[in-house]
Amino acid sequence: MAASPLMIEARGVQKWYPNGFHALRGVDLSVSRGEVVVIMGPSGSGKSTFIRTFNALEDFQEGTITIDGIALSNDLRNIDAIRCDTGMVFQQFNLFPHLTVLENLSLAPVVVRKRRRAEVEAQALGLLERVGIAEQAGKYPGQLSGGQQQRVAIARSLCMEPRILLFDEPTSALDPEMVGEVLEVMRALAADGMTMVVVTHEIGFAREVAHRVVLMSEGQIVEAAAPTTFFTNPQHERSRQFLAQIL
Amino acid sequence: MTSSSPPLLPPRPAPPSARRSWRGALRQELFATPLDGVISVLLLAALLAAGVGFWHWAFRQAQWAVIQANTTLFAVGRYPLPQQWRLWLLVALAAVTTGASWGLLRSHPRADRSGTLWPFNDLVAIAVLAFLAAWLPAALKLPVPLQLRWWAITALLLVLRGVAGQWGGLVPRRLLRFLPLFWPALYLFGMVLIAGGLGVPRVPPSEWGGLLLTLLMASFAILLSFPIGIVVALGRRSSLPLLRWSSVLYIEFIRGAPLITLLFLGQNILGYMLPGGWAPDRVWRAAWVLTFFCGAYLAEAVRAGLAAVPVGQLEAARSLGLSMPQALRHVVLPQALQIALPATVGQFISLLQDTTLLSLIGLLELLGTARTVMANPEFLGKNAEVYLTLAVLFWCCCAALGLGSRALELRLNPSHSPT
């Protein structure tokens, strides 16, 4: 794993919100190609803010972030290039309600990459097949269950052929019986070698799929370890407290 | 699931109390208690009396000659008679475009919409059109050649609706996307026909009048204020302070003054503000004032729509790599404008009615024409007939706008489609 090239390299990232809140306090994280990193932590610990800096949905004031060799700067072209290579799956799905499932998937490839619609739609149908909802292609997001919507959102990210997928609490807004189907898709992606950074509270997923589990608290990384170590033998007092609360 | 768990119950039909007949609903609404019944009877009697009184006035006492003698004046004002063929041509073209669009839309029902409502609605619309064509020109006592023209134009519309509805399916769907472009093209061509130019003799705006002027002013302001409203609404939400503050200034300046003040200002000040000869004609000055007036109100409607689109939509679009203009164009604005549609159409309807203020600055649109007609000694005291006609005309135009917006809302809103 150490020999693989770095896909994400964050060094000393500091972020203050406009109201002065110090959200990220010098965060370092490196993610290699094909690695699955799960970020856990109590709410307000900065984990969502942190992964949202990776595709410039949040800015930061100090430190550096390099995504697949491109430094995140204020240069808009860099940001657009990084966003094309970085897919993001949101807690609230954020599907476009005025477009059908198929149109949701094909919008960005057609508009951004200027690809032919017919070709993109063929690829999109393949992706829908892969996440198990090809038969819903003509429906609108509002007609799908939460689990189906989140799978569409994953397929929509994949349609841009990203090298990195960021997940911001992808199962937190789902009814319990729908969590499984989404995690299933994420497991398959990890097995295919996708580089993934996942903010989640799903311990089962973290245990089975993650290569590394990172615990954040108060805008800092408290502990980063392989899941077996992290869950059975956490090194830090803060980790032990957190695990005691969620296990 | 163990074998001891009880079997799940199958659904059964609702008891009669859950299903209400319309007669039951009526009884509930009008005669629920004795007092309700008394009030209902009194109100119905009053309504009936008013209806009978109106009927008696409209068909016994009212003298509609004032309308019949001035139909041309009400329709087009003092538009020169030898040039009126251009307006007939425009109406005929509009009928052709309407019929063709209507038929084409019906022959290409959207796959994700149910079409069960359309046949009924279309039959009603066709019946109303046919009735109007048969009754209205005769009731207005138009000369027979003019009556024939109206019949011909209505027939043209209905025949094209039939033809396009029957064989429009042969037109490929992707060509259908260009259908909306016909309307602006027709509008521009119509402007040339009305105003002249490109080889047709000019008819200066001072000779336009009546319904023609009202519709021209309203449509001009509606079409141009829409983009203004979108740009200003986006400007007001922009993070660039200069853009934001100038948008706020514009909106608050316009909203802070009554339209009539702005119209008078436009008539008087524009001449000083613009270099000699640049200031537009009186009619166009009023049109621009209306446009910028409506634009400010539209901006607020669109802003409300923009605010109602969750921020996650923009984030999702941006994280897929869409640039800000692309995200606005494909993701945010379609949703925002759909939310803003009812308020927008409400604004358009009040704009249409606000055109009556133009009569106060001396333009002879519908109300202005009506006032000249009522001032004619020959028709003294016929105010009721004239105002009622005006009200019906405005009501028809506003109803058309409202129905159109309702149809658009249904067509745009995916949640109305059956699953």
Side-chain angles (χ1 to χ4, degrees), chain B residues 231 243 368 395:
Chain B
V231 169
L243 196 58
W395 184 83

Side-chain angles (χ1 to χ4, degrees), chain A residues 204-215:
Chain A
F205 179 82
R207 241 194 256 271
E208 291 166 41
V209 184
H211 299 118
R212 245 190 317 158
V213 177
V214 171
L215 181 79

Side-chain angles (χ1 to χ4, degrees), chain B residues 22-329:
Chain B
W22 66 269
R23 287 172 77 174
L26 205 64
R27 192 179 309 132
Q28 175 97 45
E29 195 165 332
L30 295 180
F31 302 104
T33 66
L35 181 62
D36 277 10
V38 171
I39 294 176
S40 298
V41 167
L42 284 178
L43 282 177
L44 287 176
L47 271 178
L48 197 67
V52 168
F54 177 76
W55 190 263
H56 184 72
W57 174 80
F59 291 96
R60 293 284 150 75
Q61 292 177 320
Q63 289 168 354
W64 296 103
V66 56
I67 307 297
Q68 290 158 345
N70 293 300
T71 39
T72 315
L73 209 55
F74 278 116
V76 298
R78 305 197 184 285
Y79 202 89
L81 190 60
Q83 300 297 333
Q84 281 180 10
W85 62 268
R86 287 146 58 163
L87 306 178
W88 285 104
L89 176 61
L90 183 57
V91 172
L93 283 175
V96 168
T97 319
T98 307
S101 306
W102 186 3
L104 279 174
L105 282 180
R106 288 298 173 270
S107 60
H108 289 262
R110 287 186 56 159
D112 48 337
R113 303 286 191 281
S114 78
T116 49
L117 257 182
W118 294 124
F120 176 70
N121 285 355
D122 278 13
L123 280 182
V124 170
I126 288 170
V128 168
L129 272 177
F131 168 75
L132 282 181
W135 173 75
L136 202 56
L140 290 173
K141 296 223 169 81
L142 291 181
V144 174
L146 292 194
Q147 291 199 27
L148 285 177
R149 276 187 213 177
W150 281 114
W151 294 354
I153 284 169
T154 312
L156 196 62
L157 194 160
L158 294 181
V159 165
L160 265 160
R161 155 74 180 91
V163 170
Q166 191 71 40
W167 291 289
L170 301 176
V171 181
R173 193 170 273 273
R174 63 196 154 78
L175 286 185
L176 216 61
R177 285 166 46 202
F178 298 104
L179 187 64
L181 292 183
F182 275 96
W183 287 96
L186 177 71
Y187 191 78
L188 289 178
F189 185 65
M191 282 298 220
V192 173
L193 271 182
I194 292 169
L198 302 182
V200 207
R202 289 197 175 279
V203 177
S206 51
E207 294 181 5
W208 311 344
L211 185 62
L212 171 72
L213 187 61
T214 295
L215 291 182
L216 257 183
M217 293 288 103
S219 58
F220 180 86
I222 284 174
L223 287 177
L224 285 184
S225 64
F226 195 52
I228 292 178
I230 293 175
V231 169
V232 174
L234 289 173
R236 183 153 187 179
R237 288 172 63 85
S238 162
S239 54
L240 308 173
L242 196 65
L243 196 58
R244 189 168 65 242
W245 286 111
S246 44
S247 302
V248 171
L249 198 69
Y250 164 70
I251 293 174
E252 296 308 332
F253 170 73
I254 298 274
R255 293 206 309 170
L259 176 57
I260 186 67
T261 327
L262 294 173
L263 283 170
F264 276 119
L265 265 182
Q267 294 299 314
N268 295 311
I269 281 195
L270 272 183
Y272 300 112
M273 280 166 59
L274 296 170
W278 275 59
D281 169 86
R282 265 160 36 96
V283 171
W284 287 117
R285 279 184 212 183
W288 282 110
V289 171
L290 276 180
T291 305
F292 283 110
F293 178 80
C294 188
Y297 283 86
L298 272 192
E300 288 297 280
V302 174
R303 186 169 73 103
L306 286 171
V309 178
V311 66
Q313 291 289 311
L314 184 62
E315 287 182 351
R318 299 287 274 145
S319 67
L320 283 167
L322 273 73
S323 67
M324 194 63 175
Q326 287 169 339
L328 286 176
R329 153 89 182 72

Side-chain angles (χ1 to χ4, degrees), chain A residues 5-57:
Chain A
L6 287 183
M7 292 299 281
I8 300 174
E9 191 177 18
R11 288 273 162 269
V13 177
Q14 306 265 359
K15 175 179 173 73
W16 288 265
Y17 277 113
N19 63 10
F21 178 68
H22 197 174
L24 298 176
R25 308 176 191 171
V27 187
D28 298 305
L29 182 72
S30 301
V31 181
S32 314
R33 182 187 304 265
E35 196 180 7
V36 176
V37 173
V38 165
I39 303 182
M40 306 187 103
S43 65
S45 59
K47 48 196 195 308
S48 285
T49 307
F50 186 45
I51 71 162
R52 284 159 59 90
T53 57
F54 295 168
N55 64 351
L57 285 182

Side-chain angles (χ1 to χ4, degrees), chain A residues 52 83 94-96 98 140, chain B residues 112 312-313 315 318-319 330:
Chain A
R52 284 159 59 90
R83 281 178 175 157
N94 293 348
L95 292 179
F96 307 135
H98 61 300
Y140 285 90
Chain B
D112 48 337
Q313 291 289 311
E315 287 182 351
R318 299 287 274 145
S319 67
H330 294 283

